[in-house]
Amino acid sequence: MKMEPGEMDRTEFMETFGPVFEHSAWIAENVWNDGLDRRHDTAFGMHEVMCNEIRRADTEEKLALLRAHPELGCALAGDELTKTSRGEQNRSGLDQCSTEEFAEFQRLNQAYREKFGFPFILAIKGFQRKQILEMFRTRLEHSPEEEFQAALAQVMKIGLFRLQDIYK
């Protein structure tokens, strides 16, 4: 990061922090509108204030945030991914799925979306395909409320990883 958030104008701030949460620039915008201080100068501080915006959001806004995420394993299907999401999925080997793994991702994505109404979300950093598939199968057994909370926690974890990359 070239400068501290408090030194940025609105445009620079939004270009830097708007993409942290997938297609949900409203989070960064709310942080900007609330005013910046020293808390915003670290990845953890920025993460906390951004997550507070998510926590304050109503259920529909939270659901929209979850629905803004891509399905895992969709890179092979040619689905549109943000550059950040594509890189995250590729680092976990999701661009190298066997035909059987790809078919399982597709089957699990469909079953998950039908059950919960949003895509399976996992902060995949450090995990490989087989681990991701195992977690996918396990979380498909959750109740809707358990999974809504689990998915939000994963979104926040993804946000922290992305902020840590920005603050390097």
Side-chain angles (χ1 to χ4, degrees), residues 3-166:
M3 63 180 77
E4 299 296 336
E7 299 170 355
M8 296 177 178
D9 64 24
R10 185 183 186 289
T11 300
E12 292 167 311
F13 184 87
M14 291 305 297
E15 286 173 0
T16 303
F17 297 103
V20 169
F21 292 96
E22 202 82 12
H23 302 293
S24 300
W26 61 269
I27 297 166
E29 189 166 1
N30 287 352
V31 168
W32 174 265
N33 291 339
D34 289 344
L36 303 178
D37 58 41
R38 294 185 64 210
R39 293 175 299 163
H40 302 91
D41 292 344
T42 68
F44 291 107
M46 183 65 80
H47 182 254
E48 184 60 28
V49 296
M50 293 184 99
C51 288
N52 285 341
E53 294 300 330
I54 295 170
R55 290 181 194 104
R56 279 196 286 269
D58 64 32
T59 301
E60 285 305 310
E61 290 170 315
K62 290 174 183 173
L63 192 54
L65 172 63
L66 297 179
R67 288 180 176 157
H69 280 261
E71 292 182 340
L72 290 179
C74 66
L76 288 174
D79 288 356
E80 290 297 316
L81 293 175
T82 63
K83 181 180 174 187
T84 305
S85 287
R86 182 171 303 284
E88 291 163 350
Q89 290 200 27
N90 290 352
R91 282 189 295 280
S92 288
L94 297 184
D95 60 334
Q96 301 166 18
C97 288
S98 67
T99 304
E100 295 78 20
E101 288 170 329
F102 179 70
E104 184 170 10
F105 270 109
Q106 295 302 96
R107 182 183 62 74
L108 289 170
N109 277 319
Q110 181 178 350
Y112 187 96
R113 192 176 282 279
E114 286 173 6
K115 182 173 181 178
F116 300 114
F118 51 86
F120 175 72
I121 301 168
L122 178 68
I124 59 177
K125 184 176 183 175
F127 295 116
Q128 293 300 312
R129 292 185 309 275
K130 292 186 185 337
Q131 296 167 302
I132 294 167
L133 283 167
E134 184 57 39
M135 288 181 264
F136 208 149
R137 291 183 210 107
T138 299
R139 286 189 34 209
L140 195 51
E141 301 303 317
H142 284 176
S143 72
E145 182 55 31
E146 285 175 311
E147 196 51 29
F148 185 78
Q149 295 306 321
L152 282 173
Q154 291 299 309
V155 165
M156 291 179 189
K157 191 172 183 180
I158 293 165
L160 178 59
F161 291 152
R162 291 178 177 179
L163 285 165
Q164 287 171 330
D165 287 342
I166 290 169

